[in-house]
Amino acid sequence: MTDSPTTVRPDRRAELAAGLARVRARIADACAAAGRDRGEVTLVAVTKTYPAADVVALAGLGVTDVGENRDQEAAPKAAEAAAAGVTPRWHFIGQLQRNKARSVVRYADVVQSVDSVRLAVALDGAAAAAARDRPLDVLVQVSVDGDPARGGALPDAADPDRGLGAVAAAVAGAGGLRLAGLMAVAPLGWEPDRAFARLAEVVARFRVDHPEATVLSAGMSGDLEIAIEYGATHVRVGSALLGMRTTLR
């Protein structure tokens, strides 16, 4: 008799428990150093390339939010976890193609990577077609360095499709979406302090127009402390929690 895809081995559960304890301690220490309440920061466990069994184990350890980067992996994983009775808050955090919107809205609670008006429109239409019982929470991904060649809405541009103001307005005006806040990744080659200080400036301007959009997803395994110092409400942690990935599919 073979194990099911969601069977959790005791040794793996122990590994995850140890990783989770370390990450939670780092978050608590960072909050204390920044003079923030620990309850202000949510851990999003990034489980890409890891099995649904890890999602089940993490849920059993108290993790409520799980992030995935690719729909072709996330959709079946969410279904396997649900079949095991585990329904975390699923965050889609990777680059999203518009033709995947109909799939993503069926399992995701949050999409963190909306960076164009066209994608916002596609998600809104998909959410309506899926007859969701609540709006899809959306974070607008911001390009910290403003490079149009990479992902992220452009904070200082009036671009009608990629400008931050245009994307935020499209999300805020969509009946099937809720503008929850912003997401960013520190650009390659930038020191985290520089990146998150720049992001904090963008956030301050953004919240003048959207004061209710209070979520800020920033910081990963290597820089979560600095992100928390600059106001992150959600940190996306993979390797520090689940271990180094042996293969990336």
Side-chain angles (χ1 to χ4, degrees):
M1 183 175 178
T2 59
D3 290 339
S4 78
T6 53
T7 298
V8 181
R9 302 190 323 270
D11 59 334
R12 180 56 174 161
R13 188 182 190 283
E15 289 174 357
L16 292 172
L20 181 59
R22 289 191 295 268
V23 171
R24 283 174 168 164
R26 288 177 61 189
I27 294 172
D29 289 347
C31 287
R36 298 180 60 191
D37 187 291
R38 171 62 184 85
E40 296 177 11
V41 179
T42 297
L43 167 64
V44 180
V46 180
T47 56
K48 65 179 182 181
T49 77
Y50 287 100
D54 281 359
V55 176
V56 171
L58 289 168
L61 293 166
V63 172
T64 58
D65 293 70
V66 174
E68 285 285 333
N69 289 59
R70 301 170 66 215
D71 174 66
Q72 55 265 50
E73 178 183 352
K77 190 180 298 184
E80 288 176 357
V86 172
T87 54
R89 184 169 169 82
W90 288 96
H91 297 245
F92 189 87
I93 61 178
Q95 186 176 17
L96 178 60
Q97 296 177 328
R98 282 175 287 158
N99 62 3
K100 297 291 187 179
R102 286 184 178 273
S103 176
V104 168
V105 300
R106 296 187 182 279
Y107 61 85
D109 300 285
V110 186
V111 174
Q112 294 201 12
S113 50
V114 175
D115 63 356
S116 71
V117 171
R118 287 180 295 174
L119 179 54
V121 170
L123 278 172
D124 186 38
R132 292 173 56 94
D133 60 0
R134 62 194 181 283
L136 176 70
D137 278 354
V138 164
L139 305 185
V140 177
Q141 181 177 350
V142 175
S143 170
V144 173
D145 62 2
D147 185 346
R150 292 198 285 269
L154 308 173
D156 300 316
D159 186 297
D161 186 52
R162 297 264 319 269
L164 175 57
V167 180
V171 174
L177 310 178
R178 185 181 80 90
L179 179 62
L182 300 177
M183 182 271 263
V185 179
L188 291 175
W190 282 47
E191 290 297 324
D193 269 299
R194 178 189 177 200
F196 295 132
R198 164 65 174 149
L199 176 61
E201 296 171 356
V202 174
V203 170
R205 295 199 304 270
F206 170 81
R207 287 182 180 162
V208 171
D209 295 323
H210 304 283
E212 74 292 344
T214 57
V215 173
L216 176 59
S217 175
M220 298 185 288
S221 291
D223 56 16
L224 67 87
E225 287 87 355
I226 300 171
I228 289 171
E229 178 184 351
Y230 283 99
T233 65
H234 290 62
V235 291
R236 310 178 302 273
V237 181
S239 59
L241 174 59
L242 291 109
M244 296 303 295
R245 298 173 179 86
T246 54
T247 57
L248 291 174
R249 295 197 299 271

